[in-house]
Coordinates of all heavy atoms in Angstrom, one line a residue:
M1184 N -39.2 12.0 -30.8 CA -37.8 12.3 -30.4 C -37.6 12.1 -28.9 O -36.6 11.7 -28.5 CB -37.5 13.8 -30.8 CG -36.2 14.2 -30.6 SD -35.1 13.4 -31.8 CE -33.7 14.3 -31.9
E1185 N -38.7 12.5 -28.2 CA -38.6 12.4 -26.7 C -38.5 10.8 -26.3 O -37.8 10.5 -25.3 CB -39.8 13.0 -26.0 CG -39.7 13.1 -24.5 CD -38.6 14.0 -24.1 OE1 -38.3 15.0 -24.8 OE2 -38.1 13.8 -23.0
G1186 N -39.1 10.0 -27.1 CA -39.1 8.6 -26.8 C -37.7 8.0 -27.0 O -37.2 7.2 -26.2
I1187 N -37.0 8.4 -28.0 CA -35.7 7.9 -28.3 C -34.7 8.5 -27.2 O -33.8 7.7 -26.7 CB -35.2 8.4 -29.7 CG1 -36.0 7.8 -30.8 CG2 -33.7 8.1 -29.9 CD1 -35.7 8.3 -32.2
K1188 N -34.9 9.7 -26.8 CA -34.1 10.2 -25.7 C -34.2 9.4 -24.4 O -33.2 9.1 -23.7 CB -34.4 11.7 -25.5 CG -33.4 12.4 -24.5 CD -33.8 13.9 -24.5 CE -32.9 14.6 -23.5 NZ -33.2 16.0 -23.3
K1189 N -35.4 9.1 -24.1 CA -35.7 8.4 -22.9 C -35.2 7.0 -23.0 O -34.6 6.4 -22.0 CB -37.3 8.3 -22.7 CG -37.6 7.7 -21.3 CD -39.1 7.7 -21.1 CE -39.4 7.1 -19.8 NZ -40.8 7.1 -19.5
F1190 N -35.3 6.4 -24.1 CA -34.8 5.0 -24.4 C -33.2 5.0 -24.2 O -32.7 4.1 -23.4 CB -35.1 4.5 -25.8 CG -34.5 3.2 -26.2 CD1 -34.9 2.1 -25.6 CD2 -33.4 3.2 -27.1 CE1 -34.3 0.8 -26.0 CE2 -32.8 2.0 -27.4 CZ -33.3 0.8 -26.9
F1191 N -32.5 5.9 -24.8 CA -31.1 5.9 -24.7 C -30.6 6.4 -23.2 O -29.6 5.9 -22.7 CB -30.4 6.8 -25.7 CG -30.4 6.2 -27.0 CD1 -31.0 6.7 -28.2 CD2 -29.7 5.0 -27.3 CE1 -31.0 6.1 -29.4 CE2 -29.6 4.4 -28.5 CZ -30.3 5.0 -29.6
S1192 N -31.4 7.2 -22.6 CA -31.1 7.6 -21.3 C -31.2 6.4 -20.3 O -30.4 6.2 -19.4 CB -32.1 8.7 -20.8 OG -31.9 9.1 -19.5
T1193 N -32.2 5.6 -20.6 CA -32.4 4.4 -19.7 C -31.2 3.4 -20.0 O -30.7 2.8 -19.0 CB -33.7 3.7 -20.1 OG1 -34.8 4.6 -20.0 CG2 -34.0 2.5 -19.2
I1194 N -30.8 3.2 -21.2 CA -29.7 2.3 -21.5 C -28.4 2.9 -20.9 O -27.7 2.1 -20.3 CB -29.6 2.2 -23.0 CG1 -30.7 1.3 -23.6 CG2 -28.2 1.5 -23.4 CD1 -30.7 1.2 -25.1
W1195 N -28.3 4.2 -21.0 CA -27.0 4.8 -20.4 C -27.0 4.6 -18.9 O -26.0 4.3 -18.3 CB -26.9 6.3 -20.8 CG -25.8 7.0 -20.2 CD1 -25.8 8.0 -19.3 CD2 -24.4 6.8 -20.5 NE1 -24.6 8.4 -19.0 CE2 -23.7 7.7 -19.7 CE3 -23.8 5.9 -21.4 CZ2 -22.3 7.7 -19.8 CZ3 -22.4 5.9 -21.4 CH2 -21.7 6.8 -20.6
N1196 N -28.1 4.8 -18.2 CA -28.1 4.6 -16.8 C -27.8 3.2 -16.4 O -27.2 2.9 -15.4 CB -29.5 5.1 -16.2 CG -29.6 6.6 -16.2 OD1 -28.6 7.3 -16.2 ND2 -30.8 7.1 -16.3
A1197 N -28.4 2.3 -17.1 CA -28.2 0.9 -16.9 C -26.7 0.5 -17.1 O -26.1 -0.2 -16.3 CB -29.1 0.0 -17.8
W1198 N -26.1 1.1 -18.2 CA -24.7 0.9 -18.5 C -23.8 1.4 -17.3 O -22.8 0.8 -17.0 CB -24.3 1.5 -19.8 CG -22.9 1.3 -20.2 CD1 -21.9 2.3 -20.1 CD2 -22.3 0.1 -20.6 NE1 -20.7 1.7 -20.5 CE2 -20.9 0.4 -20.8 CE3 -22.7 -1.2 -20.8 CZ2 -20.0 -0.6 -21.2 CZ3 -21.9 -2.1 -21.3 CH2 -20.5 -1.8 -21.4
K1199 N -24.1 2.6 -16.8 CA -23.3 3.1 -15.7 C -23.5 2.3 -14.5 O -22.4 2.1 -13.8 CB -23.8 4.6 -15.4 CG -23.4 5.6 -16.4 CD -23.7 7.0 -15.9 CE -25.1 7.3 -15.6 NZ -25.4 8.8 -15.3
K1200 N -24.6 1.8 -14.1 CA -24.7 0.9 -13.0 C -24.0 -0.4 -13.2 O -23.3 -0.9 -12.3 CB -26.2 0.5 -12.7 CG -27.0 1.7 -12.1 CD -28.4 1.2 -11.9 CE -29.2 2.4 -11.3 NZ -30.6 2.1 -11.1
F1201 N -23.9 -1.0 -14.4 CA -23.2 -2.2 -14.7 C -21.7 -1.9 -14.6 O -21.0 -2.7 -14.1 CB -23.6 -2.7 -16.1 CG -22.8 -3.8 -16.6 CD1 -23.0 -5.1 -16.1 CD2 -21.8 -3.7 -17.6 CE1 -22.3 -6.2 -16.5 CE2 -21.1 -4.8 -18.0 CZ -21.3 -6.0 -17.4
G1202 N -21.3 -0.8 -15.2 CA -19.9 -0.4 -15.1 C -19.4 -0.2 -13.7 O -18.3 -0.7 -13.4
E1203 N -20.2 0.4 -12.9 CA -19.9 0.5 -11.4 C -19.7 -0.8 -10.8 O -18.8 -1.1 -10.0 CB -20.9 1.4 -10.7 CG -20.5 1.7 -9.3 CD -21.6 2.6 -8.7 OE1 -22.5 3.1 -9.4 OE2 -21.5 2.8 -7.5
F1204 N -20.6 -1.7 -11.0 CA -20.6 -3.1 -10.5 C -19.3 -3.8 -10.9 O -18.6 -4.4 -10.1 CB -21.9 -3.9 -10.8 CG -21.8 -5.3 -10.5 CD1 -21.9 -5.7 -9.2 CD2 -21.5 -6.3 -11.5 CE1 -21.9 -7.1 -8.8 CE2 -21.5 -7.6 -11.1 CZ -21.7 -8.0 -9.8
I1205 N -19.1 -3.8 -12.3 CA -17.8 -4.5 -12.8 C -16.6 -3.8 -12.2 O -15.6 -4.5 -11.9 CB -17.9 -4.4 -14.3 CG1 -19.0 -5.3 -14.8 CG2 -16.5 -4.9 -14.9 CD1 -18.9 -6.7 -14.5
G1206 N -16.6 -2.5 -12.1 CA -15.4 -1.8 -11.5 C -15.1 -2.3 -10.1 O -14.0 -2.5 -9.7
N1207 N -16.2 -2.4 -9.3 CA -16.1 -2.8 -7.9 C -15.6 -4.2 -7.8 O -14.7 -4.5 -7.0 CB -17.4 -2.7 -7.2 CG -17.7 -1.3 -6.8 OD1 -16.9 -0.4 -6.7 ND2 -19.0 -1.0 -6.7
V1208 N -16.1 -5.1 -8.7 CA -15.7 -6.5 -8.6 C -14.3 -6.6 -9.1 O -13.4 -7.3 -8.4 CB -16.6 -7.4 -9.5 CG1 -16.0 -8.8 -9.7 CG2 -18.0 -7.4 -8.9
I1209 N -13.9 -6.0 -10.1 CA -12.5 -6.1 -10.7 C -11.5 -5.5 -9.7 O -10.4 -6.0 -9.4 CB -12.4 -5.5 -12.0 CG1 -13.1 -6.4 -13.1 CG2 -10.9 -5.3 -12.4 CD1 -13.2 -5.8 -14.5
G1210 N -11.9 -4.3 -9.1 CA -11.0 -3.7 -8.1 C -10.8 -4.6 -6.9 O -9.7 -4.7 -6.4
R1211 N -11.8 -5.2 -6.4 CA -11.7 -6.1 -5.3 C -10.9 -7.4 -5.6 O -10.0 -7.8 -4.8 CB -13.0 -6.5 -4.7 CG -13.7 -5.3 -4.0 CD -15.1 -5.7 -3.6 NE -15.8 -4.5 -3.3 CZ -16.6 -4.5 -2.2 NH1 -16.8 -5.5 -1.4 NH2 -17.2 -3.3 -1.9
V1212 N -11.1 -7.9 -6.8 CA -10.3 -9.1 -7.2 C -8.9 -8.7 -7.4 O -8.0 -9.5 -6.9 CB -10.9 -9.7 -8.5 CG1 -10.0 -10.7 -9.1 CG2 -12.3 -10.3 -8.2
F1213 N -8.6 -7.6 -8.0 CA -7.2 -7.2 -8.2 C -6.5 -6.9 -6.9 O -5.4 -7.4 -6.7 CB -7.2 -5.9 -9.1 CG -5.8 -5.3 -9.2 CD1 -4.9 -5.9 -10.0 CD2 -5.4 -4.2 -8.5 CE1 -3.6 -5.4 -10.2 CE2 -4.2 -3.7 -8.7 CZ -3.3 -4.3 -9.5
L1214 N -7.1 -6.2 -6.0 CA -6.5 -6.0 -4.7 C -6.3 -7.3 -3.9 O -5.3 -7.4 -3.2 CB -7.3 -5.0 -3.9 CG -7.3 -3.5 -4.4 CD1 -8.2 -2.7 -3.6 CD2 -5.9 -3.0 -4.3
M1215 N -7.3 -8.2 -4.0 CA -7.1 -9.5 -3.3 C -5.9 -10.3 -3.9 O -5.0 -10.8 -3.1 CB -8.3 -10.3 -3.4 CG -8.3 -11.6 -2.7 SD -9.7 -12.7 -2.9 CE -9.6 -13.0 -4.6
L1216 N -5.8 -10.3 -5.2 CA -4.6 -11.0 -5.8 C -3.3 -10.3 -5.5 O -2.3 -11.0 -5.2 CB -4.8 -11.0 -7.3 CG -5.9 -12.0 -7.8 CD1 -6.1 -11.8 -9.3 CD2 -5.7 -13.4 -7.4
F1217 N -3.3 -8.9 -5.4 CA -2.1 -8.2 -5.1 C -1.7 -8.6 -3.6 O -0.6 -8.8 -3.3 CB -2.3 -6.7 -5.2 CG -1.2 -5.9 -4.8 CD1 -0.1 -5.8 -5.6 CD2 -1.2 -5.2 -3.6 CE1 1.0 -5.0 -5.2 CE2 -0.1 -4.5 -3.2 CZ 1.0 -4.4 -4.0
Y1218 N -2.7 -8.6 -2.7 CA -2.4 -8.9 -1.3 C -1.9 -10.3 -1.2 O -0.9 -10.5 -0.5 CB -3.7 -8.7 -0.5 CG -3.5 -9.1 0.9 CD1 -2.8 -8.2 1.8 CD2 -3.9 -10.3 1.4 CE1 -2.6 -8.6 3.1 CE2 -3.7 -10.6 2.8 CZ -3.1 -9.8 3.6 OH -2.8 -10.1 5.0
I1219 N -2.5 -11.3 -1.9 CA -2.1 -12.7 -1.8 C -0.7 -12.9 -2.4 O 0.1 -13.7 -1.8 CB -3.2 -13.6 -2.4 CG1 -4.4 -13.6 -1.5 CG2 -2.7 -15.0 -2.6 CD1 -5.6 -14.3 -2.1
T1220 N -0.4 -12.2 -3.5 CA 0.9 -12.5 -4.1 C 2.0 -11.7 -3.7 O 3.2 -12.1 -3.9 CB 0.7 -12.4 -5.7 OG1 0.3 -11.1 -5.9 CG2 -0.3 -13.4 -6.2
V1221 N 1.8 -10.5 -3.2 CA 2.9 -9.6 -2.8 C 3.0 -9.4 -1.3 O 4.0 -9.6 -0.7 CB 2.8 -8.3 -3.6 CG1 3.8 -7.3 -3.1 CG2 2.8 -8.5 -5.1
V1222 N 1.9 -8.9 -0.8 CA 2.0 -8.4 0.7 C 2.0 -9.6 1.7 O 2.8 -9.5 2.6 CB 0.8 -7.5 1.0 CG1 0.7 -7.1 2.4 CG2 0.7 -6.3 0.1
L1223 N 1.2 -10.6 1.5 CA 1.2 -11.7 2.4 C 2.5 -12.5 2.4 O 3.0 -12.7 3.5 CB 0.0 -12.7 2.0 CG -0.2 -13.9 2.9 CD1 -0.7 -13.3 4.3 CD2 -1.3 -14.7 2.3
P1224 N 3.2 -12.9 1.3 CA 4.5 -13.5 1.4 C 5.5 -12.7 2.0 O 6.4 -13.2 2.8 CB 4.8 -13.9 0.0 CG 3.5 -13.9 -0.8 CD 2.7 -12.8 -0.1
F1225 N 5.5 -11.4 1.7 CA 6.5 -10.5 2.3 C 6.3 -10.4 3.8 O 7.3 -10.5 4.6 CB 6.4 -9.1 1.7 CG 7.4 -8.1 2.2 CD1 8.7 -8.1 1.8 CD2 7.0 -7.1 3.1 CE1 9.7 -7.3 2.3 CE2 7.8 -6.3 3.7 CZ 9.2 -6.3 3.2
G1226 N 5.1 -10.3 4.3 CA 4.8 -10.2 5.7 C 5.2 -11.5 6.4 O 5.7 -11.5 7.5
L1227 N 4.9 -12.6 5.8 CA 5.2 -13.9 6.4 C 6.7 -14.1 6.5 O 7.2 -14.6 7.5 CB 4.6 -15.1 5.6 CG 3.0 -15.2 5.8 CD1 2.5 -16.3 4.9 CD2 2.7 -15.5 7.2
A1228 N 7.4 -13.8 5.4 CA 8.9 -13.9 5.4 C 9.5 -13.0 6.5 O 10.4 -13.4 7.2 CB 9.4 -13.6 4.1
L1229 N 9.0 -11.8 6.6 CA 9.6 -10.9 7.6 C 9.2 -11.4 9.0 O 10.1 -11.3 9.9 CB 9.0 -9.5 7.4 CG 9.7 -8.4 8.2 CD1 11.1 -8.3 7.9 CD2 8.9 -7.1 8.0
R1230 N 8.1 -11.9 9.2 CA 7.7 -12.4 10.5 C 8.5 -13.6 10.9 O 9.0 -13.8 12.0 CB 6.2 -12.7 10.5 CG 5.7 -13.5 11.7 CD 5.4 -12.7 12.9 NE 4.6 -11.5 12.6 CZ 3.4 -11.3 13.2 NH1 3.0 -12.2 14.1 NH2 2.7 -10.2 13.0
L1231 N 8.8 -14.5 9.9 CA 9.5 -15.7 10.2 C 11.1 -15.5 10.3 O 11.7 -16.1 11.1 CB 9.2 -16.8 9.2 CG 7.8 -17.3 9.2 CD1 7.6 -18.3 8.0 CD2 7.5 -18.0 10.5
F1232 N 11.6 -14.7 9.4 CA 13.0 -14.6 9.3 C 13.6 -13.3 9.7 O 14.9 -13.2 9.8 CB 13.5 -14.9 7.9 CG 13.0 -16.2 7.4 CD1 12.1 -16.4 6.3 CD2 13.5 -17.4 7.9 CE1 11.6 -17.6 5.9 CE2 13.0 -18.6 7.5 CZ 12.1 -18.7 6.5
G1233 N 12.8 -12.3 9.9 CA 13.4 -10.9 10.2 C 13.2 -10.6 11.7 O 12.5 -11.1 12.4
D1234 N 14.1 -9.7 12.0 CA 14.1 -9.1 13.4 C 14.5 -7.6 13.3 O 15.6 -7.3 13.7 CB 15.0 -9.9 14.3 CG 14.9 -9.5 15.8 OD1 13.9 -8.8 16.1 OD2 15.7 -9.9 16.6
P1235 N 13.6 -6.8 12.8 CA 14.0 -5.4 12.6 C 14.3 -4.6 13.8 O 15.0 -3.6 13.8 CB 12.8 -4.8 11.8 CG 11.7 -5.7 12.1 CD 12.2 -7.0 12.4
L1236 N 13.7 -5.0 14.9 CA 13.9 -4.3 16.2 C 15.1 -4.8 17.0 O 15.4 -4.4 18.0 CB 12.7 -4.3 17.1 CG 11.4 -3.6 16.5 CD1 10.3 -3.8 17.4 CD2 11.8 -2.2 16.2
R1237 N 15.7 -5.9 16.5 CA 16.9 -6.6 17.1 C 16.6 -7.0 18.6 O 17.3 -6.6 19.5 CB 18.1 -5.7 17.1 CG 18.5 -5.4 15.6 CD 19.7 -4.5 15.6 NE 20.1 -4.3 14.3 CZ 21.2 -3.6 13.9 NH1 22.1 -3.2 14.8 NH2 21.4 -3.4 12.6
I1238 N 15.5 -7.7 18.7 CA 15.1 -8.2 20.1 C 15.2 -9.7 20.2 O 14.7 -10.2 21.1 CB 13.7 -7.7 20.4 CG1 12.7 -8.1 19.4 CG2 13.7 -6.2 20.6 CD1 11.2 -7.8 19.8
G1239 N 15.8 -10.3 19.2 CA 15.9 -11.8 19.2 C 16.9 -12.2 20.2 O 17.6 -11.5 20.9
S1240 N 17.0 -13.6 20.3 CA 17.9 -14.2 21.2 C 19.4 -14.0 20.9 O 20.2 -14.2 21.8 CB 17.5 -15.7 21.3 OG 17.8 -16.3 20.1
K1241 N 19.7 -13.7 19.7 CA 21.1 -13.6 19.3 C 21.7 -12.2 19.7 O 22.9 -12.0 19.5 CB 21.4 -13.9 17.9 CG 20.7 -12.9 16.9 CD 21.0 -13.4 15.5 CE 20.4 -12.4 14.5 NZ 20.6 -12.8 13.1
Y1242 N 20.9 -11.3 20.1 CA 21.4 -10.0 20.5 C 21.4 -9.9 22.0 O 20.6 -10.4 22.8 CB 20.5 -8.9 20.0 CG 20.4 -8.9 18.4 CD1 19.3 -9.4 17.8 CD2 21.4 -8.4 17.7 CE1 19.3 -9.4 16.5 CE2 21.4 -8.4 16.3 CZ 20.3 -8.9 15.7 OH 20.3 -8.9 14.3
K1243 N 22.5 -9.2 22.5 CA 22.6 -9.0 24.0 C 21.6 -7.9 24.4 O 21.5 -7.0 23.7 CB 24.0 -8.7 24.4 CG 25.0 -9.7 24.1 CD 26.4 -9.3 24.6 CE 27.0 -8.4 23.6 NZ 28.3 -8.0 23.9
A1244 N 21.1 -8.1 25.6 CA 20.2 -7.1 26.1 C 21.0 -6.0 26.9 O 21.9 -6.4 27.7 CB 19.1 -7.7 27.0
P1245 N 20.8 -4.8 26.8 CA 20.0 -4.1 25.9 C 20.7 -4.0 24.6 O 22.0 -3.9 24.5 CB 19.8 -2.7 26.5 CG 21.0 -2.5 27.3 CD 21.4 -3.9 27.8
S1246 N 20.1 -4.1 23.5 CA 20.7 -4.1 22.2 C 20.7 -2.7 21.6 O 20.1 -2.3 20.6 CB 19.9 -5.0 21.2 OG 18.6 -4.6 21.1
W1247 N 21.5 -1.8 22.2 CA 21.7 -0.4 21.7 C 22.7 -0.5 20.5 O 23.6 -1.2 20.5 CB 22.3 0.4 22.8 CG 21.4 0.6 24.0 CD1 21.6 -0.1 25.2 CD2 20.3 1.4 24.1 NE1 20.5 0.3 26.1 CE2 19.7 1.2 25.4 CE3 19.6 2.2 23.3 CZ2 18.6 1.8 25.9 CZ3 18.5 2.9 23.7 CH2 18.0 2.7 25.0
V1248 N 22.4 0.4 19.6 CA 23.2 0.6 18.4 C 24.1 1.9 18.7 O 23.5 2.9 18.8 CB 22.4 0.7 17.1 CG1 23.4 1.0 16.0 CG2 21.6 -0.5 16.9
V1249 N 25.3 1.7 18.8 CA 26.3 2.8 19.1 C 26.6 3.5 17.9 O 27.0 2.9 16.9 CB 27.6 2.3 19.8 CG1 28.5 3.4 20.1 CG2 27.2 1.5 21.0
R1250 N 26.3 4.8 17.9 CA 26.6 5.6 16.7 C 27.6 6.7 17.1 O 27.5 7.3 18.1 CB 25.3 6.2 16.2 CG 24.3 5.2 15.8 CD 23.3 5.8 14.8 NE 22.2 4.9 14.7 CZ 22.1 3.9 13.8 NH1 23.1 3.7 13.0 NH2 21.1 3.1 13.6
D1251 N 28.6 6.9 16.2 CA 29.6 7.9 16.5 C 29.1 9.2 15.9 O 28.6 9.3 14.8 CB 30.9 7.6 15.8 CG 31.5 6.3 16.4 OD1 31.3 6.0 17.6 OD2 32.1 5.5 15.7
A1252 N 29.4 10.3 16.6 CA 29.1 11.7 16.1 C 30.2 12.1 15.4 O 31.4 12.3 16.0 CB 28.8 12.6 17.4
D1253 N 30.1 12.4 14.1 CA 31.2 12.8 13.3 C 31.6 14.3 13.5 O 32.8 14.5 13.8 CB 30.9 12.7 11.8 CG 30.7 11.2 11.4 OD1 31.3 10.3 12.1 OD2 30.0 10.9 10.5
D1254 N 30.7 15.2 13.4 CA 31.0 16.6 13.5 C 29.9 17.2 14.2 O 28.7 17.2 13.8 CB 31.2 17.1 12.1 CG 31.8 18.5 12.1 OD1 32.3 18.9 13.2 OD2 31.9 19.2 11.0
L1255 N 30.2 17.9 15.3 CA 29.2 18.5 16.2 C 29.1 20.0 16.0 O 29.2 20.8 17.0 CB 29.3 18.1 17.6 CG 29.2 16.6 18.0 CD1 29.5 16.4 19.4 CD2 27.8 16.1 17.6
T1256 N 29.1 20.5 14.8 CA 29.1 21.9 14.5 C 27.7 22.3 13.9 O 27.0 21.5 13.5 CB 30.2 22.3 13.5 OG1 29.9 21.6 12.3 CG2 31.6 21.9 14.1
I1257 N 27.4 23.6 13.9 CA 26.2 24.1 13.4 C 26.2 23.9 11.9 O 25.1 23.5 11.3 CB 26.1 25.6 13.7 CG1 26.1 25.9 15.1 CG2 24.8 26.2 13.0 CD1 24.7 25.8 15.8
E1258 N 27.3 24.0 11.2 CA 27.3 23.8 9.8 C 27.0 22.4 9.4 O 26.4 22.1 8.4 CB 28.7 24.3 9.2 CG 29.0 25.7 9.2 CD 29.4 26.2 10.6 OE1 29.9 25.4 11.4 OE2 29.2 27.4 10.9
A1259 N 27.5 21.5 10.2 CA 27.2 20.0 9.9 C 25.7 19.7 10.1 O 25.2 18.8 9.5 CB 28.1 19.2 10.8
S1260 N 25.1 20.5 11.0 CA 23.6 20.2 11.2 C 22.8 20.6 10.1 O 21.7 20.1 9.9 CB 23.2 20.9 12.5 OG 23.2 22.3 12.3
Y1261 N 23.3 21.5 9.2 CA 22.5 21.9 8.0 C 22.6 20.8 7.0 O 21.8 20.8 6.0 CB 23.1 23.2 7.5 CG 22.7 24.4 8.3 CD1 23.8 25.2 8.8 CD2 21.5 24.7 8.7 CE1 23.5 26.3 9.5 CE2 21.2 25.8 9.5 CZ 22.2 26.6 9.9 OH 21.9 27.7 10.7
H1262 N 23.6 19.9 7.1 CA 23.8 18.9 6.0 C 23.7 17.5 6.7 O 24.7 16.8 6.7 CB 25.2 19.1 5.3 CG 25.3 20.4 4.7 ND1 24.6 20.8 3.6 CD2 26.1 21.5 5.1 CE1 24.9 22.1 3.3 NE2 25.8 22.5 4.3
Q1263 N 22.6 17.2 7.2 CA 22.5 15.9 7.9 C 22.4 14.7 7.1 O 22.7 13.6 7.4 CB 21.2 15.9 8.9 CG 21.3 17.0 10.0 CD 20.1 17.0 10.8 OE1 19.3 16.0 10.8 NE2 19.9 18.1 11.5
F1264 N 21.8 14.9 5.8 CA 21.6 13.7 5.0 C 22.4 13.8 3.7 O 22.5 14.6 3.0 CB 20.1 13.7 4.7 CG 19.2 13.6 5.8 CD1 18.5 14.7 6.3 CD2 19.2 12.4 6.6 CE1 17.7 14.6 7.4 CE2 18.3 12.3 7.7 CZ 17.6 13.4 8.1

């Protein structure tokens, strides 16, 4: 009985090591594919076509965004969003 337990214990430990290896490989491949297909094109498009800080040549310097204050009361400050 002890021999069978040792045999299956050895198989189980080998299976856990194999599963950990496969999990690491699949996780890295999945994250690499996600990065290449989603994050990289988005970042490149934003870098090439976007100007989120409005510092490009088509904006006058300084490019302040003027915002109007609607209501300057204490009650309005409780409902900002």
Side-chain angles (χ1 to χ4, degrees):
M1184 189 69 160
E1185 190 65 32
I1187 294 173
K1188 186 176 179 181
K1189 185 176 180 181
F1190 173 72
F1191 283 119
S1192 177
T1193 304
I1194 290 176
W1195 178 247
N1196 288 332
W1198 179 255
K1199 288 193 297 186
K1200 287 182 183 179
F1201 177 72
E1203 185 177 352
F1204 172 74
I1205 292 297
N1207 286 335
V1208 169
I1209 289 175
R1211 290 174 192 223
V1212 168
F1213 175 75
L1214 288 176
M1215 181 183 67
L1216 290 175
F1217 178 76
Y1218 178 77
I1219 289 173
T1220 59
V1221 176
V1222 177
L1223 186 65
F1225 181 76
L1227 288 175
L1229 189 62
R1230 171 77 55 118
L1231 293 174
F1232 303 114
D1234 191 10
L1236 297 178
R1237 298 182 181 186
I1238 58 175
S1240 61
K1241 65 181 180 178
Y1242 298 104
K1243 294 184 283 184
S1246 58
W1247 297 102
V1248 177
V1249 179
R1250 303 201 187 272
D1251 296 329
D1253 293 334
D1254 194 9
L1255 299 177
T1256 62
I1257 300 274
E1258 290 79 22
S1260 67
Y1261 290 125
H1262 305 289
Q1263 294 179 21
F1264 303 105

